[in-house]
Amino acid sequence: MLRPQLLYHVARNSRGSLPVYSDVRNAGSRYLVYIRNVDGNVADLVNDLTTTLFPESSAKISTVRNRHVVIQGGRCKDSVMEWLASKGF
């Protein structure tokens, strides 16, 4: 099955896993999810995440260093990994 042409690519790491990581800060009151090593148009990835995975959520999605995406506001690592896998990454 061919995947649709996207303006971004999330490469897997050397062990074959998706580069999605979680970080708990402030004694568990701040939960962050990182998507690392995004190639291409990161703003398009943020837009796709906002419209499909978090349409009416209070999650804040931002870009760090032009290649990383940070999601604040929920324990969503598993859903992000499933979403990326469904996109063909």
Side-chain angles (χ1 to χ4, degrees):
M1 181 172 124
L2 294 173
R3 84 177 170 182
Q5 192 68 2
L6 299 172
L7 298 176
Y8 54 87
H9 177 72
V10 180
R12 291 182 177 254
N13 62 20
S14 61
R15 294 183 177 171
S17 301
L18 287 168
V20 180
Y21 306 96
S22 60
D23 188 14
V24 180
R25 303 237 171 145
N26 296 344
S29 65
R30 185 173 175 202
Y31 192 85
L32 304 172
V33 174
Y34 294 98
I35 304 172
R36 296 184 184 165
N37 301 329
V38 179
D39 293 324
N41 191 351
V42 179
D44 196 35
L45 172 62
V46 170
N47 187 30
D48 283 352
L49 282 169
T50 305
T51 56
T52 58
L53 194 57
F54 304 106
E56 296 181 16
S57 174
S58 63
K60 179 183 175 188
I61 304 173
S62 58
T63 305
V64 178
R65 295 188 200 114
N66 295 330
R67 292 196 64 198
H68 305 308
V69 175
V70 180
I71 304 168
Q72 300 176 7
R75 300 179 187 273
C76 55
K77 178 184 174 186
D78 293 334
S79 59
V80 169
M81 290 182 74
E82 290 173 9
W83 183 82
L84 286 172
S86 71
K87 290 281 193 180
F89 295 114

